[in-house]
C-alpha cells in the first residue's frame, strides 16, 4: 500500500469496489495556463474528455489531472474531482500530487547533470562517494558502480528493505539504509536480472549529495527545478499552507473515498525523497515532459544530448508479460536510468509509473513522435492507471484499435476473477485474538536491518510494535494453527503471517497474507531473533 512502485506494469490489478459517487469536475480551459503552455483554450476535447470521464466514472476517483502532448505541443490539460473528497476544493492544474517513482527520473537527471559537469562518472565505484556502503557480498560492494544503483539489478530482492521507507513517518535515516544494506540477503546474482528496488535510489541521492556538495533536496531545487522552471515542484521540508493547493491521498471504504495519512502544516523531508518523494503539479509535469520530447537549446545546455540518451537507453532487460505481449504486441522491455521502455505496436515508448499509498501517476513519452502524456490520481487507482495508460498509449500507437476504457477495465476484472485460490489472501474472518497467557513467544526481538520490535501483552491482547517504525503496530491473531498480525490502521500495511521458531534464541519470520501483495511489504526479508523479555 505504501510502495513508490509496486510491480512491473501490465499485470492484473484489483479494482476497489464501491458505489458511484458525485464528483466536482474542472474541465481545464484556464486561459492563463493554456497560453503558458502554447495551447488554445478549449472548453471540451472530444478525443480525450470521454476517456478521462469514463475512467473517473468506472473507478470513482477522488481527483485526477491529465495532460497530453502531440508533436511537441500540449493539446490537452484537464482536471477532475477534488483535492480532498467531499471538500469542494477542486483539483486544478496547480494542484500538487505525489509523483512517487516518477521522482526517479528526476534523480537520474540530477546525476546526469553532475556527469556533464564532471563531478562524477557513471562508472565510478559507489564507495568513492559513500565509503561506508556495504552489500552482503564484498565483491559486489567493491564492484558496485553508480550506474548499478539505477537499473534494479543489484541482487537485492524485489522491494528489499522497503520497510525502512514505509509506512511513514518513521525514524529510519539514509545512514540507516546504507548500513542496513549489508544485512539484506540477495535474491539473485549481481547484474543478472531485473528486480525492482527503492533503497538504491535513496543511495543514489546520497551519491548526488556527495558529488554535488549539498543535500539531495537542495541540489534538486537548485540544479533541476530552478533551471527547468518547475516552480511548483516540491521536495524536502516545505509548508503546506504557504505552498497551497495540495492533493491528499485516499483509499476506498464502504463506497467512499477517505483521506489517508493527511499532510500536516509542515511537510517534512523524508528518507525516500530520491526514490519517490517529489510532488509536482500538472503544469510542471507537462514542462518536464516537453523537456524530454522537444528540448530547447537552454535545456540541452542543462543536460546534454549524450546524457539524455544514456538515461533513456536500455540497460537491463525486463521480462515481457503475457498481457503486454497480447495487448501491446511488445517484444522487448527494458529499464534505463529511472525510465522503463518497450516497443508498443511497433513504436518505442519510454515511461514510468508511481505508486505511493493512495497516489498514482504515469508519465509516458513517444520520442519518435515528440508526443506523450502524464496523469496523476489522488486515490487507490491501480486498475485506473493501467486502463488510462493503455487507452492513451493506444491513441498514438494503434488509433484504430477500437478497445476503449470499458474493454480494458473488463479485461482486468476478468483476469482478477481468474486468480487461483493459492494466489489469493486467506479469509481471516474466523481469526481470533490471541490471549497473552496462550502465547509462548512474547519478548523483544531484533532483525539486523529493521531493528527492534516488541511482541508483548497489552490488556487482553498481544501487540506487535516496531521501535523505529511506530505506525507498524498491530494485534496478534490466530487462524487455524498459524499466527498473523492485523495492523491497527488498515491504511498502514498488508496484514502478515507471524511464524515463531523454537531455538536458542527463538526466532520469528513473517510473510504477506496476500501472496501477490505489495512487494514493499517485504516481510519475507525479515529474520528476528529474541533478545530479551518484554519491558
Amino acid at each position: 500500500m505504501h510502495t513508490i512502485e509496486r510491480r512491473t506494469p501490465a499485470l492484473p490489478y484489483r479494482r476497489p469496489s464501491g458505489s458511484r459517487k458525485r464528483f466536482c469536475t474542472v474541465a481545464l480551459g484556464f486561459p492563463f495556463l493554456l497560453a503558458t503552455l502554447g495551447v488554445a483554450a478549449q472548453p471540451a476535447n472530444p478525443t480525450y474528455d470521454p476517456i478521462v470521464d469514463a475512467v473517473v466514472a468506472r473507478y470513482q476517483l477522488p481527483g485526477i489531472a491529465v495532460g497530453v502532448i502531440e508533436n511537441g505541443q500540449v493539446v490537452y490539460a484537464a482536471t477532475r474531482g477534488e483535492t480532498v473528497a467531499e471538500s469542494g476544493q477542486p483539483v486544478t492544474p496547480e494542484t500538487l500530487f505525489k509523483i512517487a517513482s516518477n521522482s526517479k527520473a528526476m534523480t537520474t537527471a540530477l546525476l546526469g547533470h553532475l556527469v556533464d559537469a564532471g563531478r562524477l562518472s557513471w562508472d565510478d565505484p559507489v564507495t568513492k562517494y559513500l565509503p561506508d556502503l556495504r552489500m552482503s557480498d564484498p565483491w559486489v560492494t567493491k564492484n558496485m558502480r553508480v550506474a548499478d544503483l539505477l537499473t534494479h539489478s543489484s541482487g537485492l530482492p524485489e522491494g528489499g528493505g522497503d520497510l525502512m521507507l514505509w509506512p511513514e513517518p518513521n525514524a529510519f535515516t539514509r545512514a540507516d539504509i546504507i548500513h542496513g544494506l549489508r544485512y539484506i540477503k540477495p535474491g539473485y546474482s549481481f547484474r543478472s536480472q531485473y528486480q525492482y528496488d527503492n533503497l538504491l535510489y535513496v543511495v543514489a541521492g546520497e551519491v548526488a549529495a556527495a558529488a554535488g556538495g549539498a543535500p539531495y533536496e537542495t541540489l534538486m531545487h537548485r540544479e533541476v527545478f530552478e533551471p527547468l522552471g518547475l516552480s511548483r515542484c516540491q521536495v524536502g521540508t516545505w509548508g503546506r499552507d504557504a505552498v497551497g493547493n495540495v492533493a491528499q491521498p485516499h483509499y476506498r471504504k464502504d463506497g467512499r473515498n477517505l483521506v489517508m495519512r493527511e499532510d500536516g502544516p509542515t511537510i517534512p523531508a523524508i528518507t525516500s525523497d530520491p526514490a519517490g518523494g517529489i510532488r509536482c503539479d500538472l503544469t510542471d509535469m507537462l514542462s518536464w515532459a516537453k523537456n524530454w520530447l522537444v528540448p530547447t537549446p537552454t535545456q540541452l545546455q542543462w543536460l546534454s544530448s549524450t546524457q539524455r540518451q544514456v538515461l533513456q537507453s536500455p540497460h537491463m532487460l525486463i521480462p515481457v508479460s503475457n498481457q503486454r505481449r497480447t495487448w501491446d504486441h511488445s517484444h522487448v522491455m527494458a529499464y534505463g536510468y529511472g525510465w522503463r521502455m518497450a516497443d508498443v505496436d511497433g513504436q518505442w515508448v519510454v515511461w514510468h509509473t508511481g505508486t505511493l499509498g493512495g497516489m498514482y501517476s504515469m508519465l509516458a513519452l513517444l520520442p519518435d513522435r515528440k508526443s506523450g502524456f502524464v496523469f496523476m490520481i489522488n486515490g487507490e487507482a491501480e486498475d485506473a492507471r493501467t486502463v488510462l495508460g493503455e487507452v492513451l498509449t493506444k491513441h498514438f500507437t494503434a488509433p484504430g484499435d477500437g478497445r476503449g476504457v470499458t474493454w480494458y477495465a473488463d479485461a482486468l476484472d476478468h483476469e482478477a476473477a481468474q486468480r487461483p485460490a493459492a494466489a489469493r489472501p486467506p479469509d481471516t474472518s474466523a481469526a481470533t485474538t490471541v490471549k497473552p497467557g496462550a502465547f509462548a513467544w512474547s519478548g523483544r526481538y531484533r532483525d539486523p536491518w529493521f531493528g527492534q520490535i516488541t511482541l508483548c501483552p497489552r490488556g487482553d491482547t498481544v501487540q506487535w510494535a516496531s521501535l523505529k517504525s511506530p505506525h507498524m503496530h498491530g494485534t496478534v491473531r490466530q487462524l487455524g494453527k498459524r499466527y498473523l498480525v492485523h495492523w491497527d490502521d488498515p491504511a498502514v500495511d498488508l496484514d502478515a503471517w507471524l511464524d515463531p521458531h523454537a531455538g536458542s534464541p527463538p526466532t520469528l519470520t513473517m510473510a504477506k497474507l496476500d501472496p501477490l501483495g505489495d512487494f514493499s511489504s517485504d516481510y519475507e526479508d525479515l529474520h528476528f531473533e529474541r533478545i530479551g523479555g518484554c519491558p
Side-chain angles (χ1 to χ4, degrees):
M1 182 175 294
H2 318 283
T3 173
I4 286 174
E5 194 54 66
R6 301 175 73 97
R7 51 176 73 87
T8 301
L11 292 177
Y13 295 114
R14 298 186 301 278
R15 177 172 62 86
S17 60
S19 60
R20 184 171 178 174
K21 152 180 188 18
R22 182 179 64 84
F23 291 87
C24 173
T25 299
V26 181
L28 183 74
F30 298 108
F32 69 92
L33 171 73
L34 294 175
T36 299
L37 296 174
V39 186
Q42 296 179 354
N45 185 297
T47 299
Y48 297 113
D49 278 336
I51 296 171
V52 175
D53 290 337
V55 171
V56 169
R58 177 77 179 235
Y59 296 106
Q60 303 113 55
L61 302 178
I64 187 172
V66 187
V68 180
I69 297 169
E70 294 182 0
N71 195 27
Q73 297 298 317
V74 176
V75 298
Y76 182 73
T79 64
R80 305 283 192 272
E82 300 164 304
T83 60
V84 175
E86 303 178 5
S87 69
Q89 301 169 359
V91 173
T92 74
E94 290 74 38
T95 297
L96 290 181
F97 289 80
K98 298 177 182 181
I99 66 171
S101 269
N102 274 301
S103 304
K104 288 181 169 67
M106 293 187 173
T107 295
T108 60
L110 170 60
L111 289 166
H113 180 68
L114 293 171
V115 171
D116 273 341
R119 304 295 293 272
L120 64 80
S121 167
W122 297 118
D123 290 328
D124 283 344
V126 177
T127 52
K128 175 180 177 179
Y129 304 96
L130 305 174
D132 293 336
L133 179 79
R134 299 288 184 275
M135 303 300 286
S136 64
D137 184 331
W139 188 91
V140 174
T141 301
K142 181 179 178 180
N143 289 276
M144 178 82 74
R145 306 167 304 155
V146 173
D148 292 315
L149 300 173
L150 311 175
T151 59
H152 307 293
S153 58
S154 68
L156 284 181
E158 187 178 40
D162 274 3
L163 288 174
M164 287 191 280
L165 300 179
W166 302 284
E168 58 189 27
N170 62 47
F172 288 102
T173 66
R174 292 172 191 166
D176 289 332
I177 288 174
I178 291 170
H179 181 77
L181 281 167
R182 69 196 66 191
Y183 302 114
I184 300 177
K185 296 179 180 179
Y188 57 96
S189 299
F190 184 46
R191 297 179 186 155
S192 67
Q193 62 177 276
Y194 171 92
Q195 290 286 338
Y196 198 92
D197 77 79
N198 289 300
L199 293 194
L200 293 186
Y201 268 80
V202 176
V203 176
E206 290 300 274
V207 168
Y216 167 84
E217 289 79 6
T218 300
L219 291 174
M220 185 56 63
H221 277 281
R222 188 179 72 201
E223 307 294 340
V224 179
F225 297 167
E226 291 177 13
L228 294 180
L230 307 181
S231 60
R232 288 278 295 164
C233 288
Q234 300 291 329
V235 70
T237 302
W238 48 284
R240 178 197 61 194
D241 298 333
V243 172
N245 199 352
V246 182
Q248 298 301 310
H250 294 75
Y251 70 103
R252 295 285 296 176
K253 183 178 181 180
D254 300 329
R256 297 179 62 204
N257 289 305
L258 303 176
V259 172
M260 57 191 290
R261 293 191 296 281
E262 187 170 8
D263 290 321
T266 299
I267 286 98
I270 55 177
T271 300
S272 62
D273 275 343
I278 294 173
R279 305 195 202 193
C280 291
D281 67 10
L282 179 62
T283 304
D284 282 352
M285 288 302 288
L286 285 167
S287 296
W288 171 246
K290 287 185 67 176
N291 155 76
W292 296 102
L293 295 170
V294 284
T296 65
T298 299
Q299 289 168 344
L300 288 172
Q301 288 183 342
W302 169 75
L303 186 65
S304 67
S305 297
T306 298
Q307 295 310 320
R308 289 167 184 268
Q309 183 175 2
V310 168
L311 298 181
Q312 295 189 347
S313 291
H315 293 284
M316 173 53 58
L317 290 177
I318 303 174
V320 180
S321 69
N322 289 334
Q323 186 184 91
R324 184 167 291 280
R325 292 182 188 276
T326 302
W327 286 9
D328 295 339
H329 309 104
S330 295
H331 300 84
V332 176
M333 185 172 171
Y335 204 87
Y337 295 167
W339 297 93
R340 293 189 184 93
M341 52 211 68
D343 61 310
V344 178
D345 302 316
Q347 300 188 47
W348 195 240
V349 181
V350 178
W351 83 97
H352 214 288
T353 52
T355 307
L356 190 55
M359 288 270 186
Y360 288 74
S361 66
M362 182 173 182
L363 171 61
L365 309 173
L366 290 88
D368 296 336
R369 301 178 62 120
K370 299 181 181 179
S371 300
F373 60 85
V374 61
F375 61 82
M376 298 168 289
I377 302 169
N378 64 332
E380 286 295 330
E382 290 176 293
D383 280 9
R385 179 178 63 194
T386 300
V387 170
L388 181 55
E390 192 69 23
V391 174
L392 290 177
T393 300
K394 291 295 186 184
H395 171 73
F396 294 105
T397 65
D401 178 75
R403 295 178 291 184
V405 169
T406 299
W407 190 94
Y408 287 108
D410 288 347
L412 289 182
D413 286 349
H414 176 74
E415 291 184 27
Q418 301 303 309
R419 185 176 173 185
R424 296 176 182 269
D427 180 359
T428 60
S429 60
T432 58
T433 301
V434 172
K435 301 297 183 182
F439 189 72
W441 307 95
S442 295
R444 291 178 293 117
Y445 291 78
R446 185 180 182 279
D447 173 84
W449 61 266
F450 186 73
Q452 186 174 316
I453 67 164
T454 56
L455 202 58
C456 293
R458 179 176 291 182
D460 291 334
T461 66
V462 177
Q463 298 288 311
W464 192 107
S466 167
L467 180 66
K468 281 200 167 185
S469 188
H471 287 279
M472 289 191 70
H473 187 284
T475 302
V476 177
R477 297 183 177 182
Q478 188 165 3
L479 183 64
K481 295 182 179 180
R482 204 170 180 188
Y483 297 113
L484 63 90
V485 179
H486 176 67
W487 304 113
D488 296 343
D489 182 351
V492 162
D493 227 317
L494 298 171
D495 285 352
W497 293 115
L498 178 68
D499 296 313
H501 307 280
S504 183
T507 60
L508 300 171
T509 56
M510 300 178 72
K512 293 180 281 289
L513 261 67
D514 184 348
L516 299 183
D518 181 345
F519 62 61
S520 281
S521 299
D522 61 318
Y523 308 126
E524 293 80 4
D525 299 323
L526 297 168
H527 185 84
F528 292 102
E529 289 189 355
R530 193 175 189 273
I531 59 174
C534 289

